[in-house]
Each structure stands twice: as C-alpha cells, then as structure tokens.
Amino acid sequence: MEVIFCIFQGCFVFKPSTKKKKHLGLGAQNSGKRYKLCQDLWDQIKTDTESLQDELNRSILDSLLDFTRKCSSTRQHGDWASQMRASEIPTAALVLGVNVPDHDMTFQSLSELLQQLVTPHVASLQAKECGALKHLMKRVLERLMGTTCTVDDDEEEEPEQTSTETHKSMHCSLGILCDWYKSKTRVGHESQSVVLQSKMLQQPPVVVIFKDLEAFNHRVLQDFILICSRYIERLPLMFIFGIATSPSTIQNMLPHSVSSLLCIELFQSLSCTQHLATVIDKLVLTSHFPFKLNGKVMQVLISIFLYHDFSVRNFIKLALLEHFHSQPLSLSQRDLERIRQLPSFRRYTEKQDAQEKVNLMTDDTHLKVECRKLIKDLRKYHKNYYPVLSLHTLTSSLPRELHLICLEKTVWETEEYQSAMKLLRMLAKELIASIQRCCGTLKPVKSKKMMNALIQMEEILTKIKQLDENAPPVDNSITSPVKSLSQKKTDLFQLQKTLLEMNETRRTKKLSPFETVRNEALELIDGLVKSHLSPPEAQTLYEVCYYTSSATVRRHLNATPRTSIQAALSNPYHYLQNESLKTEDGSVSNAAPDICIAYKLHLECGRLINLYDWLEAYATVASAADGNDPDSDTFGKVDDLFSSARFIQAVSELEFLGFIKSTKQKTDHVARLTWEAVEREKRTHTWLLPL
Amino acid sequence: MIARLQQTGYEEDRLQRVAKLLPCRELQAGTLLSIMGQPQQYSYPSVFIYGHRASGKSHVMHILLKELELPHATVSCVECVSVALLFEQVLLSFFGCDAASLLPRSPSLSDFVRIYRQQCLEMPAKQTRYVVMEKAELLRDMDANLLPAILRLQELVEDNVTVIFLSEIVWDKFRPNTGCFEPLLLHFPDYSKGELQQILSQDKHPSYSAEFYSSYINILLGVFYSVCRDLRELRHLAALNFSKFCEPLAEGKVKESDTHKLWRNIEPHLKKAMQTVYLREVSSLQWEQMQQVEEKETGPLRGLSAHTHVELPYYSKFLLIAAYLASYNPARTDKRFFLKHHGKIKKTNFLKKNEKTSNHLLGPKPFPLDRLLAIFYSVVDSRVAPTASIFSQISSLVTLQLLTQVSHDDQLDAPKYKCAVSMDFICAISRTVNFDIVKYLYDFL
C-alpha cells in the first residue's frame, strides 16, 4: 500500500513547519531540547505499540509455534500409519486480513520467535523478489544457508563451507540444501551445546514463510511445492502462507495435484478493526501519554483507516506524526508570549480578577508558576477523565465512540446521555452488576477523587445488599398493571387510560428504599460525569496536549496528486513563487512555463483539439512573452522552429500527465481527457463520466 | 501368480525380485526389459513412457534400474530451473563431481556434449547408461533445441546411452514443428480396480491379518474408486481411515470376520472423508485428531473454502463493486445505469446480437481505469476526492488478486483491469455497504 509513501511525504512536509515555529519561538538550544523530548516520546509510544501488537498476536503466534513443533515431532515417530501416509508438507495458512503493511511486523516477530524457540532455519519470502522459480530457489537457499553459515565459525567446517559456496554460485537446487542440512544436524549432534539440544528438536524443521501468498506467481509456487515434496523425506520442510484475503485462495491457486501434497492447517488472526480498537484503547485512552488528539483529528484518522487502508501500523504512524507536529506547541510552555495568545488561556485570564490579569500579562515568573499549576491541573484532569470514561460499562456503549463524543461536545447535554440515564433509572438487578463493574474499573486508579468515588460506590452497593437482605423486592406494584394489561385485551382507549393512570400512580407513589438508593447512585455517577467528562476544550492550556488542526492532517495525509498538478498548471506562482508569474484573475501570465500556457489554452477547447490551432494560439502567447512587437510580420508566426519545438514538448508533457491523448477519430487532433467542471471545483472535483 | 520376467544377461534371482516388487506391472516391465536388451548391447536411443499420475512409471523405472544395478541418472525436470542443473545432474551421476565441475557458468548444449565426450573417452560405457527424465512435459518449456537433442543423445555423444522420458502427456503434444527423432512409445494404462485392490492389500497393518486389511481395502475402493484412481492418494486415505475401521474391533463389539457390521460402521465415515480430507478442505492431521475426539461431538469442522469472508476498507469495497460492474456490463449501458436523466432505454432496444448471451456466462471483460473511476464516483454515496490512497487501493486490490491487470505492468497510461471475483462474493460485499448490485447489472435487468 502506497499510503506509506504519503506518510513519508507528510514527514518531509512537516519538518519545515516545526522549524518555522521554532523561529517564532525561542533560541536554538531550546529547539534542540524540544526535539529531544519529541524523540523520547515518539520512542516511548513506538515501543509501547510494538509490545501491544506483539501481545495481540501472541495467541496466534503461540499456536503457530505449537503447530511447527507438533509437525516436526509427528514426523519423527514412524508407526504404520505414518509410513503409509503420503508425506505431506505441513503448511500453516495464516489469515491476516487485508492490511498488508501491518503484516511485516507480525512476520518479523514470528520468524524471530521461531528462530529462538523451534528452529534456526527460517526463510521468509516476498512475492516481489521471487518472480521466477530460479529466484525463489536462490532466495530460499540464501536465507537458509547464508544466515546460519555466518553464525558459527568452526575451522573444521571451513572447507565444507567453501565447497558449498562454489556450488551455490553455480546453481541452486534443493539437493544442496539437503546436504547442507545433513551436515548441519550432524555437526549439531557432535559439537553443539546441550542447552541448544534440549531447546531445539533434534531435527529442527526448515520453515519457509511466504509473506504474501496472493501475489506469488501460481506457476512458480506450484513448481516449488512439487520440488519440495520430492525432498520431504530427507528435509523436514514446513511452509507458512501469509494470506490477506481468504483461505480459499489456496485452492484457487493450487490444483488438487499440488494441494494434495500439503497438509494445510488454518490460523485466523484478529480482525484489524478489533486490532485498532485495542490499540486506541491502550494508547489513546490512557493518561500516560501527554499527547492527545482532538475529536476532529481523531475522526479524520479513523475514517482514513476505515475508508482507505485498514492498516493499523499506518494509523499508529499517523498518530506519531501528529505528535511530532504538535510538539512545538506542547513544549512552548516556555514561550510565554505564545501562551498568552492561546485562546483557552485568554479565557482563563478573563475569568480572573483585574490584578491577577495584569500579573499574568506582564510578570513572567508569575506566569510560569501559574502555568505549572495549570498543567498540573490538566494532568489531573486527564487522570480522572479516563477512569470515568471507562464507566461506559454502565451503558455498554463503546469507549471509543464515547471518547469521540466527549471530545466534541459536553456529553451530558447530548440526547444519548439523557436516554442512557433514563434507561439506568429503569434498571433494577442489572444496575447492581454494572455498579460492581464500575468499582472494578475504578479500583486500580490512584487519584484522590476517584478513590472517593469508589468509596461512595461501595457504600451504595452495601446499601443495596442490605435492602436485598431486609426486604423482598417491591417492584411488584409497578409490573402488575402491565401484566394485567397484557392479559386482558383492551381496546385502544382503555389502554391509554390505564397508561395514564399508571403514570399518575408512579408519580405520586412514594419511592421505595431501593429506588432512593438507585437515585443516589445515579446522582453520584451523574456528578462524576459532569465534573470529569467535560470536553477538553474547556480546560485551560489544553492546546499543550491536544492537537487540533484536522485540516492540516487531512491535507498532508490525503495526497491528491491530481489537484496539485492542476494547481501547478493553472497557477504556477503557487509553487514557483516567482513574482513575474503572479496574476490576479486566475489567468496565466505570458512568462509562465510552456506547459502552463499549453494547458491554459487547451482548457478552452472541446473534446477534440486541433493541434495546429493550438500551436498557433501558443505561438501568439509565446511571442508576446518574448517581447516581440505585436505589429511585426513574424509575430505569432508558427514557422518559428524553436517555439514549435517548445510547444511539442509541452504537448507531450501534457499527454504524459494524462490530460490529452492521441486519437484516431480525426487526423491532427488529440482528445481531451479532463473537463472544465474538474477545473472549477478543484477541491472536491469528480471525474466526469466519459460518455 | 507372478509372471516371470525373462531377459538374458541379467541374473535370474534379480529378475525374480524385480517381478515381486512390481505387482501388476509385469507386462510393462517385460517390454521395457526387452527394449533395453542385454546390458552391454546398444539400446534404442530414446523411449517415451506415458500414463496417468501414479500409474507406476517412475516406480517401474526406479526398481528396474536399481535392482539390476544399471548405471543411470534420474532427473526431475521440474527441478531443473536451468538447463545447467540438468546437465550437471547427468554428468554427476555418470562421471562424478569432477566432470560436473567442468561445466562453465551457463553451459550450452554443446558444452555438455563436449564434456560428455571427453569423459566418455576416459570412462567408456561397459553397459548401457540410462537417463530418466521425469515430468518430461516441462522440457517443452525449455530451450527449443533441447528436446530434439536429448532425443538423439546417443548419436551426439557417441556413447551407449538411452534416454527414457516419463510424462503424463501423450507424445503428440511434444512433437516440435521442425520434426525430430521419434522415440519408442510405451503406454502405462491405469490400474484397474482389481489391480488397485491387489496392490493396496500388500501394505497391510502388521497387527491385523491380511484378509482383514484386504476387506477394508475393498470397502475403501467401493467408496473412492468412482472419484479417485490415484494409487498414492488411495494409499494415503487408507492409512488415514484404518484406525476408525478397527475401532469396533478394539472395543470388542465385532469380530474380524463380520464384514457387514464393519462396513456399516466405516461407510459414512469414508463418505465424509471424501468431502473433506480428500479435497484437502481439512488437513490430514486435523482429520486424525478429529477421529480421536469424535465421541465428544466437536461439531463440524469448517473446511478451507468455508472461510470466504474478506474484510475490506470501505472505499475498496466500492472500487471492487465498480470493477465488477465495469467487467460485466457493456460500456454502452453505463449511461443507462449511472446517468440521472438517461431517458427510457429498453433492454431490447440497444441489444446487439452478440450481447444477448449472458455476460456472466462469458466471464469478465477488461475495462480501462477511467471507466472504473467514473463508475466508482457515481456508485459511492459521498463525494470522494481522488486522493492517492484511492489509487493505491486499486493496486492493492490487484495484489490481493481481486482485480487482475490485463495490460502489461509497464504500460503506465490507461491500464486495463478485470474483476476476478465471483457473483456471490460481490453480492456479499455489496450487502455490507447497502448497495443493491443486482439493480445495476445488465444481465439481471
């Protein structure tokens, strides 16, 4: 997926922007420090994500390891059935989902684990390096023999090694691999340490990993499997297929005669949406990292993920990138002037009394102290924010969505919140369970306020329990009219009447002890939500941690090559920044590059463009640009060889960019491929139907 | 019972042993022996043996050459990624490593012949040397001059050498346009049911009687003979299911002689095996495990093809839908489907004669990139900017083999694609995005 490229592009674009801000800010020594901090944080997030991903893949990797062990052990005992059975090549079909860029990491940790725990002989292959069977063979032999050859440098083995080296340079065949393997295992018997022996099997399998099965050439793969099956008796081979789509591709790729040589077992990995969900939970919804995303940015990133590439790795990279970008802000705490300009800070100062205001605006040291305090507050806010967020268990809505809502607006004013509260008010038994769950989530949190909340919750719980012990449930009175209602089939009028009555009774009815406790609990939760789930925008100095500019993200991550080409062609000043190219009304100046002029002229043509007319128009513009006298004879004449050469070049450049193409409908004409409408709505343009 | 193989020049007991090792192939082995003649005699330059998979071609050759201790080189053509490998293997097995290392880096046929003749002067053949080429059909894909040259290798190297080709394809498909030396043809027919029974019964389980195993094979063939005559595969299946067959015996419910009860026990099991493990929907390891825990009712095992669900990003789904529409609708009908005011066009009005057949029967047609994008922008419900990620999704769909690129990779301008997914697949995809694809398909108008 080429999205990675655009990320790198993004990186390049971002770097200068940080520098710019640095110039705005403080001196060089500060920027160095800022850069270091940024790097540290980046590294921290990176290691955290990596370990998280490892953990997510743990179960599937473990089962894969088990599979390899099992395969190599069943191979070794030779009872009747295993003698009679055709010796198939054990194959693990690893279904990883379409987020191909993420797979690298999985495969890397897989091969590392295999090398540590099961076998030193692991070769992973990518389709693009195995175009032909020859290359595939070469890669396998290189990876298997090359890596292990360098590991041990016994002098006795030296001549053997060189002989295999010469062989390898001549050709590659699995026979050589067999010999190599035999010598390897024999050497292992004699000289290698006992530790290794106990850890590894006596005949460690030779694992070949096909990272992207779909992209492999069918023919090559079939031949390779056929060859391998000839050697399976001598060489304990094993395959791992990395599959992005569905396991039935194996059957599409391999005919029965080949697939019957394999013993395929399926391993399904976590779906990537789940994957992302956990990553967000663990990385974004914690108070560990001071760096946060604002609602809109979050939405942009998630939609990129869902709409375009599904790649968790890219998502993380995006997040990291954002972080890099926002870093200048987050460290600008020293840059006092800038702080004073922050809108949230202004709001804060406006709330203070006059003296304080003056102090804040003028006295730097005071400001510093104040800032420190504010930042502390902010951290506290975060500490409380996330646990309360985890109270979502009450309403069983997803924490991520809740997080998004919270980021955007005050949650307790939303409709969903109201209805959730209403629902809670109706609950009886479930409430207890959910409160218990809340207590569970609150327990590990160490902030003071949360401790308080926990204690209160527990009190409520004990109260409910006492109620349960003392009195039987009292809610019979409410349910009975409903029951009676359903029993006798009444007409509509009566139904309304009874319902009204029921409402009346409920309103007037005295609250049962259970209900009072329930209301108490709800008030507590409501209070918690109101005090801690306020949107981050309301917090002072939230700019320090939150990254808000979603437009920049969108612009940097959604590369729109077409739009930029069109911008460059119709407004060359935008990129060239040359004063002479500056025009007001969107017209192109005469001094613009040839291709811009040709482009501008072609916009005025219909579907088919007469090349000669085009050339004439071009020659007129070009000679005006050269400063020729409009009244002279040669003005706008086409026979100027130089200008027609320039024109031809511009036309072929336009063809290369895909704006025109040659056509057979008319001689001396080219067909135009893009249309005015595209030009007009540059931002959101659509491709018109070529009808 | 065992037919006698007779050929002068070979030891009698060896021939006996060969005959024992080649059940049901005595006739073919006899013919081969008579072609080969006595060891020191020149034999016919090239012999072409063909027959279906697992009809004993390699086995017969291998046993003959090994048991009679004849000098030979066996080369599998699938392994020869380059001719160098082929030459080297032949030289290696006839003259040892030294000769093989004489070959230059990328040897030509004449290099091979030269070195062969050199070596031959030092080590002239006392008896016929044999080169066996397995999977000879792959020779056709190699250099054009290779096959004709190998066919008359005897002449070229002036040595007592015979080349034996083993192939699953008849000789007619080999014959080059320019003509060549015609080899002797020998056909290995498929094993009959009785022969399969006889061969399979030979590998009996050591702890059971021969009759018992033979009756098992009889039942197995009754189920599988109609779908599979591949000896290798049948042997594999026999081994996999034998433990299940013995189960009632081990529990003491039936005696060895009670074939009917045993049949009743095993038959449904074998039928199930035919649908799962024979098709490799379930691996043989899983099958064995399943047999052991079956009493606990583990529930049906899902085969490989049961997992067809593919999770795709939102826009990729629409790109795939657009590609499907572009592949299966004639381009002229795009106006009808994707323009708001297309006027009334009835199906019959713009039907061309050749379009009356269902496009789904004809298969997907190639379409250019701009048509794909045009349809994409009109089917996707929101406005999408043509960002790089949209384009990169097209190429990733190609790597996932959901689309195939028809034009050459190098052609940057106006690449053409085909949609490579099935109707069921695309229906499932469009259901997830609430898109009624059938409404947009010309075939279902």
Side-chain angles (χ1 to χ4, degrees):
Chain A
M1 290 209 184
E2 280 153 34
V3 180
I4 300 167
F5 291 116
C6 84
I7 287 172
F8 289 139
Q9 218 176 25
C11 256
F12 290 125
V13 182
F14 271 74
K15 268 180 186 158
S17 81
T18 30
K19 265 182 205 149
K20 233 183 268 168
K21 282 195 178 157
K22 273 176 207 161
H23 290 307
L24 282 175
L26 290 177
Q29 91 277 27
N30 198 9
S31 72
K33 202 169 180 182
R34 185 190 301 164
Y35 179 72
K36 198 180 158 288
L37 238 152
C38 159
Q39 281 290 326
D40 287 351
L41 202 59
W42 183 320
D43 290 344
Q44 197 191 344
I45 295 182
K46 208 165 142 190
T47 45
D48 270 32
T49 33
E50 271 167 17
S51 61
L52 186 68
Q53 294 219 313
D54 278 353
E55 210 158 286
L56 286 172
N57 287 327
R58 176 72 21 89
S59 66
I60 190 158
L61 290 185
D62 281 347
S63 54
L64 258 176
L65 288 182
D66 278 349
F67 176 71
T68 48
R69 285 202 199 97
K70 198 170 65 189
C71 285
S72 44
S73 61
T74 48
R75 198 195 300 275
Q76 276 157 16
H77 66 75
D79 60 340
W80 174 83
S82 56
Q83 266 174 25
M84 281 306 127
R85 260 176 56 174
S87 38
E88 296 166 311
I89 307 173
T91 305
L94 187 57
V95 183
L96 289 167
V98 293
N99 44 339
V100 182
D102 294 344
H103 298 176
D104 266 351
M105 218 140 119
T106 318
F107 280 119
Q108 180 141 22
S109 48
L110 172 66
S111 61
E112 271 165 20
L113 276 177
L114 279 173
Q115 265 163 352
Q116 278 166 19
L117 302 172
V118 185
T119 168
H121 316 304
V122 181
S124 25
L125 302 170
Q126 252 177 328
K128 62 168 177 247
E129 51 189 23
C130 310
L133 185 59
K134 216 187 294 182
H135 302 132
L136 190 136
M137 277 300 213
K138 197 168 160 227
R139 294 281 175 276
V140 171
L141 293 202
E142 266 174 15
R143 306 252 152 100
L144 286 174
M145 298 167 49
T147 48
T148 36
C149 276
T150 50
V151 169
D152 51 343
D153 32 21
D154 279 1
E155 281 188 13
E156 297 165 10
E157 265 188 51
E158 212 83 272
E160 252 185 58
Q161 299 273 298
T162 47
S163 75
T164 52
E165 283 292 316
T166 52
H167 268 285
K168 197 167 73 181
S169 65
M170 266 183 76
H171 62 77
C172 317
S173 79
L174 272 190
I176 286 161
L177 190 65
C178 276
D179 296 341
W180 168 82
Y181 181 79
K182 212 186 275 169
S183 74
K184 211 73 203 163
T185 43
R186 202 192 58 229
V187 166
H189 262 297
E190 284 160 8
S191 68
Q192 262 161 0
S193 59
V194 193
V195 188
L196 210 92
Q197 284 264 321
S198 61
K199 225 164 67 179
M200 311 256 186
L201 300 145
Q202 280 206 344
Q203 293 253 305
V206 176
V207 184
V208 182
I209 303 176
F210 298 87
K211 284 185 180 173
D212 39 356
L213 186 78
E214 280 92 349
F216 274 90
N217 185 334
H218 296 194
R219 184 86 233 154
V220 169
L221 198 66
Q222 285 165 25
D223 284 349
F224 184 70
I225 292 172
L226 280 175
I227 296 173
C228 286
S229 73
R230 284 172 54 86
Y231 287 93
I232 188 71
E233 306 284 338
R234 282 189 279 163
L235 195 65
L237 276 162
M238 213 200 111
F239 294 152
I240 295 176
F241 289 161
I243 299 172
T245 48
S246 70
S248 47
T249 40
I250 298 180
Q251 283 154 333
N252 294 340
M253 285 181 83
L254 306 175
H256 182 249
S257 61
V258 177
S259 66
S260 67
L261 300 170
L262 303 174
C263 172
I264 304 167
E265 201 146 324
L266 195 65
F267 295 89
Q268 194 109 28
S269 83
L270 216 62
S271 91
C272 43
T273 37
Q274 270 171 293
H275 199 144
L276 181 78
T278 26
V279 169
I280 293 182
D281 278 354
K282 291 274 158 64
L283 287 182
V284 184
L285 302 186
T286 54
S287 50
H288 293 309
F289 300 111
F291 167 65
K292 300 278 179 288
L293 297 168
N294 128 303
K296 272 194 196 132
V297 179
M298 192 82 172
Q299 213 123 42
V300 169
L301 291 183
I302 289 181
S303 67
I304 287 181
F305 171 81
L306 285 180
Y307 286 160
H308 294 295
D309 61 355
F310 257 7
S311 160
V312 178
R313 192 177 77 169
N314 284 354
F315 184 85
I316 293 161
K317 266 201 175 163
L318 301 183
L320 290 174
L321 199 73
E322 296 323 312
H323 161 65
F324 190 20
H325 183 61
S326 72
Q327 202 58 28
L329 260 185
S330 66
L331 277 154
S332 61
Q333 22 179 309
R334 299 215 172 164
D335 187 358
L336 304 170
E337 272 317 306
R338 283 182 58 76
I339 285 187
R340 284 188 189 132
Q341 283 161 14
L342 292 177
S344 70
F345 188 73
R346 270 193 223 152
R347 246 180 287 144
Y348 175 72
T349 45
E350 270 153 29
K351 276 183 218 154
Q352 311 294 323
D353 53 45
Q355 178 52 40
E356 186 75 12
K357 227 183 250 177
V358 175
N359 264 349
L360 282 174
M361 294 316 274
T362 51
D363 186 1
D364 278 4
T365 42
H366 180 69
L367 181 63
K368 273 186 193 169
V369 175
E370 201 64 20
C371 281
R372 216 158 279 159
K373 204 180 85 196
L374 286 173
I375 286 174
K376 236 182 204 166
D377 281 351
L378 197 63
R379 196 168 293 161
K380 234 183 251 166
Y381 159 74
H382 277 137
K383 257 189 192 161
N384 296 337
Y385 176 83
Y386 290 103
V388 176
L389 196 61
S390 58
L391 295 185
H392 71 279
T393 39
L394 278 178
T395 54
S396 77
S397 78
L398 289 168
R400 290 167 289 285
E401 279 151 19
L402 193 61
H403 178 59
L404 274 182
I405 295 170
C406 290
L407 285 175
E408 263 163 25
K409 44 202 165 191
T410 26
V411 68
W412 58 87
E413 282 164 12
T414 58
E415 245 175 70
E416 290 91 336
Y417 181 74
Q418 307 289 353
S419 58
M421 277 325 239
K422 255 184 212 155
L423 179 75
L424 284 179
R425 229 158 256 152
M426 310 292 276
L427 292 176
K429 279 272 158 56
E430 294 89 334
L431 189 68
I432 303 168
S434 51
I435 290 177
Q436 269 163 345
R437 248 179 292 147
C438 286
C439 290
T441 49
L442 286 182
K443 234 164 224 166
V445 186
K446 286 199 181 71
S447 94
K448 223 181 270 167
K449 282 178 188 163
M450 289 299 116
M451 297 284 239
N452 277 341
L454 182 62
I455 292 166
Q456 278 172 309
M457 285 229 183
E458 272 164 358
E459 273 170 16
I460 289 170
L461 266 183
T462 45
K463 268 186 204 167
I464 294 174
K465 267 179 202 149
Q466 280 166 2
L467 280 179
D468 278 354
E469 283 159 18
N470 296 342
V474 254
D475 53 358
N476 284 347
S477 56
I478 306 172
T479 48
S480 57
V482 184
K483 258 184 207 160
S484 59
L485 248 184
S486 58
Q487 274 160 9
K488 52 175 177 180
K489 284 184 179 163
T490 47
D491 57 316
L492 202 69
F493 177 71
Q494 247 183 333
L495 184 84
Q496 269 177 346
K497 221 172 101 188
T498 35
L499 275 176
L500 273 176
E501 271 169 21
M502 263 169 67
N503 269 350
E504 287 289 299
T505 49
R506 200 178 292 168
R507 225 170 273 157
T508 51
K509 213 173 71 112
K510 235 188 105 195
L511 292 174
S512 71
F514 175 74
E515 279 166 325
T516 44
V517 177
R518 185 168 63 188
N519 282 354
E520 210 174 295
L522 286 180
E523 260 157 42
L524 172 67
I525 291 166
D526 197 36
L528 277 176
V529 167
K530 279 194 180 151
S531 59
H532 296 303
L533 279 191
S534 58
E537 271 91 349
Q539 303 295 312
T540 313
L541 282 189
Y542 82 99
E543 287 94 337
V544 173
C545 285
Y546 282 84
Y547 179 69
T548 45
S549 115
S550 62
T552 10
V553 183
R554 206 189 289 267
R555 203 171 57 239
H556 286 305
L557 296 178
N558 280 350
T560 51
R562 230 186 150 72
T563 322
S564 30
I565 288 175
Q566 271 167 344
L569 289 177
S570 53
N571 183 16
Y573 175 74
H574 183 77
Y575 288 105
L576 293 176
Q577 303 282 322
N578 185 339
E579 283 306 319
S580 67
L581 298 177
K582 213 168 181 180
T583 51
E584 264 104 67
D585 52 344
S587 64
V588 173
S589 100
N590 294 340
D594 296 336
I595 185 170
C596 296
I597 297 170
Y599 173 76
K600 194 74 196 166
L601 292 170
H602 115 286
L603 287 180
E604 287 152 21
C605 301
R607 203 178 74 81
L608 291 176
I609 307 170
N610 186 330
L611 269 176
Y612 189 78
D613 294 349
W614 196 5
L615 171 61
E616 265 186 335
Y618 171 81
T620 316
V621 178
S623 52
D626 294 341
N628 291 354
D629 178 17
D631 300 325
S632 75
D633 302 343
T634 51
F635 183 81
K637 280 284 156 60
V638 195
D639 42 41
D640 179 6
L641 250 174
F642 185 61
S643 83
S644 58
R646 276 166 56 185
F647 170 73
I648 294 293
Q649 183 167 11
V651 168
S652 58
E653 277 167 358
L654 278 181
E655 186 176 1
F656 178 68
L657 290 174
F659 287 99
I660 52 168
K661 70 171 184 187
S662 57
T663 175
K664 282 171 191 154
Q665 289 175 11
K666 249 179 178 179
T667 47
D668 299 339
H669 279 69
V670 287
R672 209 182 134 182
L673 295 172
T674 53
W675 303 101
E676 195 68 16
V678 183
E679 180 57 25
R680 226 178 272 133
E681 9 177 341
K682 244 175 261 159
R683 293 277 153 231
T684 54
H685 67 225
T686 54
W687 213 292
L688 279 196
L689 284 168
L691 292 171
Chain B
M1 174 122 167
I2 296 168
R4 284 167 61 94
L5 288 175
Q6 280 187 326
Q7 181 65 41
T8 49
Y10 300 101
E11 290 167 36
E12 188 60 29
D13 56 331
R14 286 196 178 195
L15 287 176
Q16 280 304 319
R17 201 159 59 227
V18 168
K20 206 179 263 170
L21 284 168
L22 299 176
C24 312
R25 279 285 173 256
E26 297 87 0
L27 188 68
Q28 283 77 16
T31 325
L32 262 175
L33 267 180
S34 54
I35 293 170
M36 284 152 72
Q38 290 180 33
Q40 71 284 358
Q41 290 170 339
Y42 264 62
S43 167
Y44 199 78
S46 45
V47 182
F48 185 87
I49 302 175
Y50 68 99
H52 278 154
R53 179 173 302 121
S55 54
K57 303 177 295 288
S58 303
H59 182 64
V60 168
M61 277 326 296
H62 181 71
I63 294 290
L64 271 179
L65 295 173
K66 209 178 116 210
E67 290 298 324
L68 302 178
E69 286 177 355
L70 301 169
H72 66 277
T74 310
V75 185
S76 170
C77 292
V78 70
E79 232 177 298
C80 299
V81 284
S82 62
V83 277
L85 267 172
L86 193 153
F87 297 153
E88 195 190 82
Q89 283 190 27
V90 173
L91 290 178
L92 193 78
S93 30
F94 285 162
F95 308 109
C97 330
D98 296 340
S101 58
L102 284 174
L103 276 172
R105 256 193 82 79
S106 48
S108 65
L109 188 68
S110 60
D111 286 328
F112 168 66
V113 171
R114 179 173 51 82
I115 291 167
Y116 192 103
R117 291 175 81 148
Q118 257 176 30
Q119 296 293 321
C120 209
L121 288 178
E122 291 165 26
M123 279 191 266
K126 292 191 197 76
Q127 44 186 336
T128 317
R129 290 171 171 147
Y130 293 94
V131 179
V132 182
M133 315 211 93
E134 289 173 353
K135 295 203 189 296
E137 56 267 22
L138 289 165
L139 281 176
R140 299 176 302 169
D141 304 332
M142 295 186 195
D143 293 344
N145 66 349
L146 189 66
L147 180 64
I150 291 179
L151 280 167
R152 45 204 331 164
L153 190 66
Q154 198 176 72
E155 244 173 278
L156 283 173
V157 299
E158 292 174 338
D159 186 31
N160 186 2
V161 62
T162 291
V163 185
I164 297 169
F165 298 91
L166 306 179
S167 171
E168 290 174 24
I169 299 178
V170 290
W171 169 247
D172 297 334
K173 304 272 177 196
F174 278 74
R175 203 173 282 127
N177 294 333
T178 47
C180 65
F181 183 82
E182 290 284 317
L184 274 183
L185 303 186
L186 190 61
H187 178 54
F188 274 42
D190 281 351
Y191 291 112
S192 70
K193 195 172 178 181
E195 283 170 337
L196 283 174
Q197 163 96 35
Q198 189 189 335
I199 297 166
L200 285 171
S201 304
Q202 277 187 357
D203 33 55
K204 70 173 186 73
H205 197 280
S207 43
Y208 295 93
S209 75
E211 289 97 66
F212 179 67
Y213 193 74
S214 169
S215 70
Y216 167 63
I217 291 297
N218 199 11
I219 294 169
L220 184 91
L221 281 179
V223 175
F224 278 102
Y225 185 69
S226 54
V227 291
C228 171
R229 297 176 188 196
D230 186 334
L231 181 63
R232 188 178 159 279
E233 195 73 349
L234 283 169
R235 181 177 281 151
H236 179 66
L237 288 166
L240 281 185
N241 295 305
F242 187 59
S243 63
K244 181 78 184 172
F245 183 69
C246 300
E247 220 169 59
L249 211 66
E251 287 164 11
K253 281 183 196 155
V254 282
K255 277 183 227 144
E256 267 195 29
S257 55
D258 198 351
T259 7
H260 186 69
K261 268 195 185 152
L262 285 170
W263 177 79
R264 280 242 305 271
N265 172 46
I266 193 73
E267 216 240 345
H269 187 72
L270 288 179
K271 286 241 166 91
K272 198 168 150 205
M274 189 156 75
Q275 281 155 13
T276 54
V277 72
Y278 169 62
L279 295 175
R280 295 302 190 280
E281 287 275 314
V282 169
S283 79
S284 32
L285 261 180
Q286 282 172 317
W287 181 251
E288 280 181 338
Q289 278 164 13
M290 210 171 73
Q291 283 178 355
Q292 284 159 12
V293 290
E294 205 163 32
E295 289 92 53
K296 290 166 203 157
E297 289 298 317
T298 46
L301 242 170
R302 290 177 75 202
L304 279 185
S305 55
H307 301 264
T308 48
H309 174 69
V310 177
E311 224 171 319
L312 285 173
Y314 188 72
Y315 287 146
S316 294
K317 284 178 185 169
F318 273 109
L319 278 171
L320 202 59
I321 289 171
Y324 192 85
L325 292 175
S327 255
Y328 287 97
N329 283 348
R332 291 177 314 109
T333 61
D334 284 354
K335 222 181 218 165
R336 155 84 178 70
F337 289 117
F338 305 114
L339 225 58
K340 267 193 186 130
H341 308 290
H342 53 76
K344 271 208 170 164
I345 309 170
K346 275 185 189 162
K347 189 177 183 179
T348 44
N349 284 356
F350 56 83
L351 266 185
K352 271 189 188 166
K353 217 173 188 183
N354 55 353
E355 279 168 7
K356 287 217 171 100
T357 38
S358 160
N359 287 305
H360 279 82
L361 288 179
L362 295 172
K365 293 195 180 62
F367 53 85
L369 176 66
D370 25 354
R371 189 169 164 231
L372 169 72
L373 288 172
I375 296 178
F376 169 69
Y377 288 123
S378 62
V379 292
V380 78
D381 44 4
S382 54
R383 290 182 87 86
V384 196
T387 59
S389 45
I390 295 282
F391 292 102
S392 72
Q393 279 176 69
I394 297 176
S395 52
S396 55
L397 285 175
V398 172
T399 40
L400 294 178
Q401 305 242 305
L402 299 172
L403 297 184
T404 43
Q405 190 162 0
V406 183
S407 53
H408 196 266
D409 283 346
D410 297 343
Q411 194 193 339
L412 290 175
D413 135 65
K416 286 192 166 179
Y417 300 94
K418 255 185 193 182
C419 186
V421 298
S422 66
M423 177 87 190
D424 291 339
F425 185 89
I426 204 72
C427 282
I429 289 278
S430 41
R431 223 171 291 131
T432 59
V433 290
N434 285 326
F435 181 80
D436 188 9
I437 193 165
V438 179
K439 239 170 61 188
Y440 287 88
L441 278 170
Y442 179 68
D443 281 351
F444 301 99
L445 216 57

